[in-house]
């Protein structure tokens, strides 16, 4: 069975460019971006550096999400969601997703992820699982504020984004934790 691309169910949207000094598209998720909170050796729960270009000119804000569609939950696992990033911002520094949120742009905020914390939580696929895909999406929006509160789930955010999307930039990398011996 071929697994569909993680964005295949999303509404069509013009693409723009997303790159990272931390994560290589199609490559392996780096160790600092794994989860120390979930006990992955070497994991530091550091959000990756992200930068994007070529978004539609009418963009009023951005949202950033990181999702593992391969997590054994039936709905994947949301690792990070940041909303209300001003249109003038085209980069998030590595580590911006810490619990303080102080390195996020003014007005932007983090939603609680599937670990119930408002911060980036690193990759933590079960030991011995096949590689999991980590899907980083920057969505260009037609509103300055998406209108979901900080207690909204990332899944509700994703649904809300669909009504406001102008463009989408996607980066996919994989992560795997070796089987325990």
């Amino acid at each position: 069975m071929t697994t569909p691309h993680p964005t295949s169910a999303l509404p069509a949207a013009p693409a723009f460019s997303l790159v990272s000094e931390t994560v290589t598209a199609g490559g392996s998720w780096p160790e600092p971006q794994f989860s120390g909170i979930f006990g992955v050796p070497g994991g530091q729960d550091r959000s990756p550096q992200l930068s994007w270009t070529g978004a539609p000119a009418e963009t009023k804000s951005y949202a950033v999400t990181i999702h593992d569609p391969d997590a054994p939950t039936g709905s994947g696992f949301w690792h990070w969601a940041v909303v209300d990033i001003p249109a003038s911002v085209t980069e998030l520094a590595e580590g911006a997703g810490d619990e303080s949120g102080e390195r996020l742009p003014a007005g932007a905020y983090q939603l609680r992820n599937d670990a119930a914390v408002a911060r980036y939580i690193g990759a933590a696929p079960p030991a011995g699982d096949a590689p999991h895909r980590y899907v980083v999406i920057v969505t260009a929006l037609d509103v300055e504020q998406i209108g979901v509160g900080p207690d909204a789930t990332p899944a509700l955010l994703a649904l809300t984004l669909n009504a406001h999307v102008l463009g989408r930039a996607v980066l996919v990398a994989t992560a795997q934790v070796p089987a325990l011996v």
Side-chain angles (χ1 to χ4, degrees):
M1 179 169 118
T2 303
T3 306
H5 190 276
T7 61
S8 63
L10 296 176
F16 57 99
S17 177
L18 171 60
V19 295
S20 174
E21 296 170 1
T22 312
V23 178
T24 302
S28 295
W29 208 243
E31 189 173 272
Q33 281 64 52
F34 277 81
S35 182
I37 292 170
F38 280 147
V40 179
Q44 297 175 20
D45 295 287
R46 288 183 57 82
S47 59
Q49 183 277 341
L50 304 170
S51 56
W52 53 92
T53 58
E58 60 273 21
T59 299
K60 294 183 180 176
S61 71
Y62 297 100
V64 172
T65 58
I66 299 180
H67 183 248
D68 170 3
D70 303 314
T73 65
S75 60
F77 191 94
W78 292 96
H79 288 264
W80 198 29
V82 182
V83 298
D84 295 354
I85 299 168
S88 60
V89 174
T90 58
E91 179 176 8
L92 293 177
E94 183 176 4
D98 68 9
E99 60 278 343
S100 76
E102 292 173 354
R103 296 181 68 195
L104 294 174
Y109 61 96
Q110 302 174 103
L111 302 181
R112 287 186 294 170
N113 55 36
D114 281 344
V117 292
R119 61 160 298 146
Y120 170 80
I121 191 95
D129 261 17
H132 286 216
R133 296 167 294 171
Y134 288 80
V135 183
V136 182
I137 299 178
V138 177
T139 306
L141 303 166
D142 65 0
V143 292
E144 290 181 11
Q145 297 178 330
I146 194 61
V148 299
D151 290 333
T153 64
L156 176 62
L157 170 65
L159 182 64
T160 305
L161 292 175
N162 290 338
H164 298 285
V165 63
L166 295 172
R168 187 179 299 116
V170 180
L171 183 153
V172 180
T174 60
Q176 187 173 26
V177 173
L180 301 174
V181 289

